[in-house]
Amino acid sequence: MKKYVIKFFQVEESEYTAIVEAESYEEAMDIFEESPFDYLEDKEPDSVEGIDYYVSKVTENGEVVYEEIKELIAEYREC
């Protein structure tokens, strides 16, 4: 029987509410992007969606048999 080493991430989607005082939307987003967690209304998440996992790499005898590089893409939308 072969031995495989599986590297994975636990992924939890948490929603927070940040309150930023600014003169415009653009200024608010600039301030927020510098340090988003400094502007949280509450340190605990508003909600937590299900926990998932993401396999990033699998090796067999030290050789990579699967690897995926996940690129973070963030979008901001006005609600």
Side-chain angles (χ1 to χ4, degrees), residues 17-79:
T17 299
I19 299 174
V20 178
E21 293 183 12
E23 296 294 325
S24 67
Y25 165 76
E26 291 80 8
E27 181 185 1
M29 291 309 297
D30 287 344
I31 292 168
F32 172 77
E33 288 173 351
E34 285 182 27
S35 188
F37 289 93
D38 286 350
Y39 300 94
L40 293 183
E41 181 178 51
D42 187 0
K43 299 297 179 195
E44 295 297 317
D46 298 342
S47 66
V48 176
E49 297 295 322
I51 296 175
D52 204 352
Y53 66 90
Y54 162 72
V55 175
S56 61
K57 186 177 188 177
V58 180
T59 58
E60 175 189 345
N61 298 326
E63 292 189 37
V64 176
V65 293
Y66 171 83
E67 185 171 25
E68 182 176 341
I69 305 302
K70 188 171 186 176
E71 192 175 311
L72 177 63
I73 298 172
E75 286 185 28
Y76 294 103
R77 59 187 165 135
E78 198 170 332
C79 295

